[in-house]
Amino acid sequence: NKDVDQVRGKRVILVDDVVSTGSIQNGMRRLVNLAGAEVAAEAVIFTQGETPQAEGFISLGHLPIFRE
């Protein structure tokens, strides 16, 4: 696949809009590793919810979850 050839052997930065559970980022990490690339950093615009899932991400800010 041409996309795999573009990242194989390279360091990449994963970028997403919001991380709350981290499941999307886990999937992106697995795909990058399967393609033979290395994740150099992970960035999101905002983290959301509990902080343990958001640790390690470069972000602009944190969005709290408001509950009634």
Side-chain angles (χ1 to χ4, degrees):
N1 187 321
K2 67 180 176 81
D3 296 329
V4 171
D5 293 337
Q6 291 179 352
V7 298
R8 184 179 294 122
K10 296 187 177 160
R11 297 182 62 189
V12 299
I13 298 173
L14 300 179
V15 180
D16 201 359
D17 55 355
V18 177
V19 61
S20 54
T21 66
S23 62
I24 298 294
Q25 288 74 18
N26 288 336
M28 289 193 305
R29 263 187 242 109
R30 281 193 293 264
L31 285 173
V32 166
N33 290 330
L34 285 171
E38 175 189 353
V39 175
E42 297 180 71
V44 296
I45 297 174
F46 289 107
T47 57
Q48 177 182 19
E50 303 300 321
T51 55
Q53 293 87 348
E55 288 181 14
F57 293 99
I58 300 165
S59 71
L60 295 177
H62 182 73
L63 300 171
I65 294 180
F66 297 100
R67 298 176 195 201
E68 295 182 75

